[in-house]
Amino acid sequence: MNNTLTDAIGGYFPLETALISQTLYSDAQCFSSARAAFYALLKKGQPSALWMPRWICNAMLSPAETLGIPVRFYSLDAAFAPADDLQPENGDWVLAVNYFGLVDNLAQSLMERFNPQQIVWDHSQSFFSAPQPGLATIYSPRKFFGVPDGGMLAGAIQVDIPPTEESASLQRTEHLFIRLAQGAEAGYTAYRQAEQTLEELPGEGMSMLTHRLLAGIDYQACEQRRLENYQYLYQRLACINALNLPARPECGPLCYPLLTENENLREALRQRRIFIPVYWLDALQRVSVDSIEYRYIRHILPLPVDHRYGLDEMQSLADFVIAYLSYTGEGSDEKN
């Protein structure tokens, strides 16, 4: 008789997590970050060169640089699709980014242009998009849910997963609790510190805490809320958005990206405690000032649409954006 238990029975209670157990990608290999998953994939496959969009964070470049894999850059067109300067040779890989979770429709055209077995799909901004045919699909649940770590690699290639440092994961929970108890501003420093701990490669395996937290999420409800919030902002803001976006995305998007030339709207939103990131400021070193990427980095405002919020928050957000742009002379009448 085996008396070994995975945990003790009885005693004090741990952090309360849901009793349900579900996941969207049960066959995915799990890491501490998308960067760690990408590193493991590159180390296993050793491509001759890696083609990356110029508009990408330095974090996703570091795995190739660490492994000594040559990186080639390609440009984007206005619809976030790879431009004609993407010309991989045999043995090269291509990282294709599903920007904001809104370009699922580009997958088929990319697979017609290139060998699918040369494509790595970056779904870090598209958690609800299913894995595409090809080498692998990478996910970053930390961009969609409040978990201390997490990256996933879906696909047929089996890679080496580094050991899990459970104590390190615990140290990355401070900002999650501070935000619950004291608000976003109070936990921002702890959040930045937690992010820095995930920079080192090869990274770690996904922690048990993150596994438990992800298993308790109602993914269908979260995705539905994102779709409803996005569609509301689309209805209200499409007339003042320089981006041509789908009215009804195929999957739950990361955000509603608003492209406006107004230089002050981001700060005005911040003053109302509406915090939005910049994707990705460190890419400015790779783009020219007259490029599409430069314009997108400087002027896209990724408005939040996630499951924490409902239509009341979306109405307040849209009202403010429309009023502010109208006041500054850059708005227009709403669509009915």
Side-chain angles (χ1 to χ4, degrees):
M1 180 177 179
N2 186 354
N3 292 321
T4 302
L5 298 173
T6 56
D7 193 9
I9 294 177
Y12 66 90
F13 284 93
L15 176 71
E16 199 67 38
T17 57
L19 297 177
I20 58 177
S21 181
Q22 58 181 336
T23 180
L24 288 186
Y25 311 112
S26 58
D27 295 331
Q29 299 165 87
C30 297
F31 297 80
S32 57
S33 67
R35 178 189 311 152
F38 193 34
Y39 176 91
L41 179 66
L42 290 173
K43 185 177 181 180
K44 182 74 171 184
Q46 291 291 323
S48 303
L50 177 65
W51 287 81
M52 304 274 283
R54 288 184 172 84
W55 191 23
I56 192 74
C57 61
N58 286 346
M60 288 299 283
L61 295 177
S62 61
E65 293 171 350
T66 301
L67 293 167
I69 297 172
V71 175
R72 314 275 187 257
F73 291 105
Y74 65 86
S75 304
L76 300 174
D77 64 19
F80 305 103
D84 292 337
D85 58 352
L86 173 54
Q87 298 180 353
E89 299 179 357
N90 291 335
D92 294 354
W93 287 5
V94 175
L95 186 77
V97 180
N98 189 334
Y99 289 96
F100 309 116
L102 294 172
V103 291
D104 292 274
N105 60 311
L106 297 178
Q108 185 59 42
S109 63
L110 277 181
M111 288 187 288
E112 292 172 357
R113 285 177 62 184
F114 311 111
N115 179 356
Q117 292 305 311
Q118 290 182 273
I119 303 176
V120 178
W121 304 98
D122 185 348
H123 283 190
S124 296
Q125 295 190 345
S126 186
F127 185 81
F128 294 101
S129 297
Q132 294 287 353
L135 276 172
T137 305
I138 297 171
Y139 295 95
S140 181
R142 292 184 301 114
K143 288 184 172 60
F144 285 75
F145 308 105
V147 293
D149 55 75
M152 297 178 177
L153 181 66
I157 297 179
Q158 296 300 303
V159 302
D160 296 325
I161 301 177
T164 299
E165 296 290 342
E166 300 293 349
S167 60
S169 179
L170 293 176
Q171 294 171 7
R172 290 190 286 264
T173 61
E174 183 180 9
H175 66 286
L176 302 174
F177 289 105
I178 291 177
R179 171 137 197 183
L180 280 177
Q182 298 177 317
E185 295 91 338
Y188 183 71
T189 298
Y191 163 74
R192 293 298 303 161
Q193 292 171 346
E195 289 293 298
Q196 291 173 3
T197 67
L198 294 168
E199 293 179 358
E200 188 173 339
L201 294 172
E204 309 160 14
M206 182 184 291
S207 68
M208 181 55 64
L209 176 58
T210 295
H211 274 291
R212 288 290 298 270
L213 293 173
L214 291 176
I217 293 172
D218 186 338
Y219 292 107
Q220 183 176 0
C222 289
E223 181 178 21
Q224 183 60 34
R225 181 66 62 86
R226 282 180 178 270
L227 289 167
E228 291 171 355
N229 290 340
Y230 172 93
Q231 288 165 11
Y232 180 87
L233 291 185
Y234 179 90
Q235 180 183 10
R236 296 287 305 278
L237 302 179
C239 59
I240 55 176
N241 194 346
L243 286 177
N244 183 20
L245 300 176
R248 295 182 178 274
E250 295 181 28
C251 303
L254 176 72
C255 62
Y256 177 83
L258 174 66
L259 178 58
T260 171
E261 302 302 322
N262 189 288
E263 298 284 350
N264 302 311
L265 179 54
R266 181 186 296 275
E267 175 59 21
L269 289 167
R270 189 191 69 80
Q271 291 180 6
R272 289 182 63 87
R273 303 185 73 217
I274 300 171
F275 304 120
I276 53 178
V278 178
Y279 298 113
W280 289 279
L281 197 59
D282 51 16
L284 286 175
Q285 61 187 305
R286 294 185 291 276
V287 303
S288 60
V289 294
D290 59 349
S291 65
I292 289 171
E293 292 92 341
Y294 185 92
R295 185 186 184 205
Y296 285 177
I297 294 169
R298 287 297 192 188
H299 298 295
I300 283 182
L301 303 177
L303 303 180
V305 298
D306 62 76
H307 57 276
R308 294 173 291 179
Y309 312 112
L311 295 184
D312 288 344
E313 287 87 356
M314 295 300 101
Q315 180 179 352
S316 177
L317 176 56
D319 287 348
F320 177 77
V321 169
I322 291 167
Y324 185 87
L325 293 180
S326 296
Y327 176 76
T328 58
E330 298 181 41
S332 61
D333 294 335
E334 297 180 59
K335 290 181 179 178
N336 295 324

